[in-house]
Amino acid sequence: MSLLFSPLTLRETTFRNRLWVAPMCQYSAASEGPAVGAPNDWHLVHLAQFASGGAGLVIAEATGVVPEGRISPQCPGLWNDTQRDAWRTVVDAIHHRGSLAGIQLAHAGRKASTWPALPRFSGRRGSVPEFASGWRAVGPTSDPFPGLDAPDALSTEDIAQVVADFVAATRRAEEAGFDAVELHFAHGYLVHEFLSPLVNTRTDQYGGDGAGRRRLALEIAAAVREQWPADRPVIVRLSATDWIDGGWDIEQSVELARELESLGVDALHVSTGGAVIADIAVGPEYQVGFARTLREAVSMPVAAVGLITEPTGAQAVLDRGDADFVALGRAALREPGWPQRAAHELGVRDGSLYPDTYRRGSW
């Protein structure tokens, strides 16, 4: 049997196959009013289509644990009950179509309050001003990401509140019915900013050596794992390298991964980059090697992501032992039924990949 279409269980949660849909920003939530940050009909259709297409896990986009934790004013959140109830509708739709539902809990740090990367906002760069629904960002220090406004440096009291905000969002994710939470420690957002020595120049207990820079990540992971139901997995999205000498790298990622595993984190979702501007060697499967290195260093499963576009390539990633899951991004946008096509091409006859009303497509 194809490994790609074999089930895998984390804690007491069983994925019907090894194909995840990675979180992808949609910049489609209301930026003001009573429904600010709540998912809407766009999110419902967008995410439910991947479940109809046969994915094992559909992960909702980066979702701010507080208003100032959003990447853009048009990004969703999970800091209030209105948002929780709207997410519940999305989760129910994913479940009805046979997939598990995950949500990526995030804080964008110094890269928050930016213009959405959408054509209707073309030509607008940098930070969104307050008169346009923007806000002042926060970060480990007051040093800005290039091209963005300077953030406010977080105090130790502020950091404690960030941990509490992740816990509160985790509770609401449980109430909304999500099967997994993914903690966003990647792509240059707040936790990655604390991890990277190129960004975090603090001299208190949240900076300095590796232990200090890892402290926030470990505090969030421990607190979320304690809050999240024991039968459901906690996943961490990790940038394995900054792609610059002297930055966050794979050796430091291995050290963090081992500590996360000891705290009860159940899987890693391995990406790269984002903390600083870098020359990244983007190409087919360009991040898979980092996933393999981390998989060999820990016992928990690992998901590989990044230009894995063909079924034979995805299957090979698992067959070689590079990863335990394969996550789709752009390929899923082009083809929401990618898992169903992959099953056909790999000779797998699995009617469970289809909703009942689509079942004829499996013949």
Side-chain angles (χ1 to χ4, degrees):
M1 181 179 180
S2 165
L3 259 182
L4 202 59
F5 292 97
S6 63
L8 193 150
T9 299
L10 300 181
R11 293 185 177 256
E12 298 176 33
T13 301
T14 299
F15 301 80
R16 63 178 172 179
N17 58 50
R18 312 293 184 91
L19 286 166
W20 293 357
V21 174
M24 292 176 281
C25 292
Q26 296 299 292
Y27 308 110
S28 297
S31 60
E32 54 189 15
V36 62
N40 51 42
D41 287 349
W42 175 264
H43 301 89
L44 175 65
V45 174
H46 165 68
L47 293 168
Q49 69 177 338
F50 300 128
S52 293
L57 175 67
V58 179
I59 308 175
E61 66 195 271
T63 300
V65 298
V66 287
E68 62 272 19
R70 293 169 293 163
I71 298 168
S72 81
Q74 288 75 25
C75 288
L78 194 50
W79 65 81
N80 65 40
D81 292 350
T82 298
Q83 296 159 349
R84 176 202 63 194
D85 295 344
W87 278 119
R88 185 181 291 128
T89 300
V90 176
V91 170
D92 289 346
I94 293 171
H95 286 163
H96 183 69
R97 290 157 177 80
S99 294
L100 298 182
I103 188 166
Q104 186 182 71
L105 301 180
H107 193 304
R110 69 177 188 164
K111 294 175 75 174
S113 190
T114 57
W115 293 103
L118 290 176
R120 68 178 181 271
F121 294 98
S122 61
R124 299 181 181 182
R125 297 290 184 269
S127 299
V128 178
E130 291 188 26
F131 67 78
S133 300
W135 59 90
R136 191 171 178 87
V138 298
T141 72
S142 59
D143 293 333
F145 186 83
L148 301 181
D149 294 345
D152 291 329
L154 291 168
S155 68
T156 54
E157 292 78 11
D158 295 332
I159 291 171
Q161 185 59 52
V162 167
V163 177
D165 293 334
F166 269 89
V167 171
T170 298
R171 174 178 51 79
R172 289 192 174 93
E174 178 188 358
E175 293 168 352
F178 282 100
D179 304 287
V181 292
E182 178 174 279
L183 303 177
H184 200 357
F185 291 178
H187 299 163
Y189 299 120
L190 184 66
V191 177
H192 186 188
E193 292 164 16
F194 271 84
L195 292 172
S196 174
L198 297 176
V199 180
N200 184 355
T201 57
R202 297 174 69 106
T203 57
D204 64 0
Q205 66 265 43
Y206 289 96
D209 62 9
R213 288 184 283 106
R214 294 192 302 272
R215 188 181 304 277
L216 175 59
L218 297 175
E219 287 182 352
I220 291 172
V224 167
R225 180 66 272 178
E226 183 177 358
Q227 172 66 46
W228 190 238
D231 60 343
R232 303 182 204 178
V234 171
I235 303 163
V236 166
R237 187 82 178 271
L238 182 66
S239 278
T241 179
D242 285 336
W243 293 98
I244 291 182
D245 289 344
W248 182 256
D249 56 26
I250 187 61
E251 290 78 15
Q252 295 173 84
S253 294
V254 166
E255 191 167 5
L256 174 62
R258 288 171 173 160
E259 291 177 306
L260 291 170
E261 185 171 38
S262 72
L263 293 175
V265 169
D266 302 287
L268 296 177
H269 188 176
V270 183
S271 189
T272 62
V276 292
I277 296 174
D279 185 13
I280 301 176
V282 176
E285 302 182 12
Y286 69 108
Q287 297 175 147
V288 170
F290 296 105
R292 183 183 183 96
T293 298
L294 286 164
R295 185 174 187 263
E296 291 174 346
V298 295
S299 299
M300 59 180 158
V302 168
V305 67
L307 293 182
I308 303 171
T309 59
E310 294 303 320
T312 53
Q315 180 63 59
V317 167
L318 302 188
D319 288 342
R320 292 192 305 260
D322 296 333
D324 304 277
F325 295 96
V326 170
L328 305 173
R330 281 165 280 196
L333 292 179
R334 292 190 293 269
E335 188 180 359
W338 193 99
Q340 294 160 348
R341 176 171 68 86
H344 274 274
E345 293 186 10
L346 296 172
V348 175
R349 295 291 298 272
D350 185 356
S352 71
L353 296 174
Y354 297 77
D356 286 344
T357 50
Y358 286 13
R359 192 65 63 90
R360 284 188 292 274
S362 66
W363 300 347

